[in-house]
């Protein structure tokens, strides 16, 4: 404080101004009281890469659509299904977060389907016998912690044929809806609502929702109404070269495809989530931002 005052003197600051810069005079202070207790709620987001940081909607949702009275935790992870998310222990982490003390109500949003549809050995689930059973168990697990489960149908892909969206996740979305109905779980129908937005945009404009721009031939095909086949996943590997010597070393490789989201895409989808969540869970309306 002495150094600050000397600096002001050196600048020719009048003494009367300097006297006003200090703390508020004690006589003007209100009597000391304790701040009232806060009872913040908590929102835990569980899902795959269409929710995960850098490739999905959830981090943008947490950044722009919740107030400070709602803790928002994105536990979306790329390449996970209802089976692999549980097998690797990520589900246990989510449940432990749901049990953490100090919050009012805790909500767990659950969105899977993309990788349950995969052919990879650690990911795929049987649509008829496993997918809905896994979701049902997740709902039960969340309720046992005292938290509120909210199911989310999988984000629509953006593949088109002759100008019409090819929504390949409809069967998986139907199973989510069935579980929500049977177990009386709040439902965000993201598949329905995202498909409507993408169809309205059209194949060409929908390419702007991706992580990276399309190749010229991909954009030209989209303008004609039929998207090209997605590029092989090998092109999405980590970039070559040594990581930086100092600072953060984690890296994400943006890619163009018809599934994942860049900043613009995440803003579009997170707005849908905010609006739908306010309708589905009215108790959160005052804590959500449009």
């Amino acid at each position: 404080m002495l150094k600050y005052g000397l600096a002001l003197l050196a600048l020719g600051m009048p003494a009367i101004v300097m006297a006003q810069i200090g703390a508020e005079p004690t006589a003007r202070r209100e009597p000391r009281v304790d701040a009232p207790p806060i009872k913040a709620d908590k929102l835990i987001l569980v899902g795959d890469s269409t929710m995960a940081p850098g490739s999905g909607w959830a981090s943008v949702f947490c950044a722009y659509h919740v107030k400070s009275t709602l803790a928002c935790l994105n536990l979306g992870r790329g390449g996970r299904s209802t089976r692999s998310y549980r097998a690797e222990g990520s589900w246990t982490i989510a449940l432990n977060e749901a049990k953490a003390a100090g919050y009012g109500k805790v909500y767990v949003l659950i969105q899977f389907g993309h990788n349950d549809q995969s052919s990879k050995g650690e990911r795929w689930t049987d649509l008829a016998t496993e997918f809905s059973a896994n979701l049902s168990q997740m709902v039960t697990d969340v309720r046992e912690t005292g938290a509120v489960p909210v199911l989310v149908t999988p984000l629509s892909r953006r593949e088109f044929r002759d100008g019409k969206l090819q929504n390949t996740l409809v069967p998986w979305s139907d199973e989510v809806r069935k579980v929500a109905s049977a177990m009386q779980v709040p439902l965000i129908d993201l598949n329905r609502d995202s498909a409507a937005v993408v169809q309205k945009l059209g194949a060409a404009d929908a390419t702007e929702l991706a992580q990276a721009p399309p190749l010229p031939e991909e954009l030209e095909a989209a303008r004609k109404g039929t998207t090209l086949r997605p590029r092989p996943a090998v092109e999405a590997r980590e970039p070559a070269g040594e990581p930086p010597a100092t600072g953060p070393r984690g890296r994400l490789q943006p890619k163009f495809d018809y599934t994942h989201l860049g900043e613009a895409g995440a803003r579009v989808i997170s707005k849908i989530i905010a609006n739908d969540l306010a309708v589905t869970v009215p108790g959160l309306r005052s804590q959500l931002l449009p």
Side-chain angles (χ1 to χ4, degrees):
M1 187 65 187
L2 177 60
K3 290 182 179 179
Y4 184 53
L6 291 174
L8 291 175
L9 281 175
L11 293 172
M13 186 72 71
I16 189 170
V17 175
M18 289 180 57
Q20 294 172 354
I21 291 177
E24 183 75 13
T26 304
R28 297 181 186 175
R29 292 177 180 170
E30 296 178 356
R32 185 185 295 275
V33 296
D34 291 333
I38 186 174
K39 202 64 174 177
D41 292 336
K42 187 176 187 179
L43 192 59
I44 302 169
L45 309 173
V46 170
D48 54 35
S49 59
T50 63
M51 181 187 275
S55 61
W57 56 262
S59 292
V60 169
F61 170 82
C62 290
Y64 293 104
H65 293 286
V66 303
K67 295 175 68 174
S68 62
T69 50
L70 181 62
C72 192
L73 177 62
N74 182 10
L75 293 182
R77 305 189 195 282
R80 271 62 169 190
S81 66
T82 55
R83 186 162 68 91
S84 63
Y85 198 89
R86 293 171 61 89
E88 71 182 7
S90 286
W91 183 239
T92 300
I93 293 172
L95 293 178
N96 287 338
E97 287 290 344
K99 296 173 186 175
Y103 296 96
K105 286 191 174 182
V106 178
Y107 302 86
V108 182
L109 270 64
I110 303 168
Q111 180 205 286
F112 288 100
H114 282 262
N115 296 298
D116 290 83
Q117 194 183 50
S118 171
S119 60
K120 291 186 178 294
E122 70 177 32
R123 302 181 185 179
W124 68 265
T125 63
D126 183 79
L127 176 61
T129 62
E130 293 180 305
F131 181 60
S132 60
N134 290 348
L135 285 177
S136 298
Q137 185 60 55
M138 285 179 158
V139 168
T140 298
D141 292 344
V142 170
R143 284 175 169 167
E144 287 178 351
T145 70
V148 179
V150 180
L151 290 177
V152 184
T153 56
L155 176 70
S156 171
R157 293 192 177 95
R158 303 181 296 278
E159 299 169 342
F160 282 78
R161 183 180 301 159
D162 298 326
K164 184 175 181 179
L165 179 67
Q166 303 298 291
N167 193 353
T168 55
L169 284 152
V170 167
W172 302 83
S173 301
D174 286 341
E175 290 302 312
V176 179
R177 295 180 188 111
K178 290 177 185 177
V179 172
S181 177
M183 301 187 74
Q184 296 297 293
V185 181
L187 174 72
I188 295 176
D189 204 338
L190 179 59
N191 185 264
R192 177 199 65 197
D193 294 346
S194 60
V197 168
V198 172
Q199 180 65 66
K200 184 175 181 179
L201 285 172
D205 286 347
T207 62
E208 297 180 10
L209 304 184
Q211 291 177 293
L215 296 173
E217 56 267 33
E218 290 169 327
L219 181 57
E220 181 60 26
R223 285 172 174 161
K224 293 178 180 178
T226 299
T227 52
L228 300 181
R229 290 179 61 85
R231 297 181 217 166
V234 67
E235 296 187 23
R237 289 179 179 171
E238 290 288 326
E242 291 295 321
T246 60
R249 296 171 66 90
R251 293 184 292 174
L252 293 171
Q253 176 62 24
K255 62 178 180 177
F256 174 80
D257 62 19
Y258 307 104
T259 299
H260 300 98
L261 301 168
E263 179 76 14
R267 282 182 175 266
V268 170
I269 301 305
S270 63
K271 188 174 182 67
I272 292 174
I273 293 290
N275 290 337
D276 287 358
L277 183 58
V279 173
T280 303
V281 185
L284 283 174
R285 289 185 66 186
S286 64
Q287 300 188 71
L288 297 172
L289 299 172

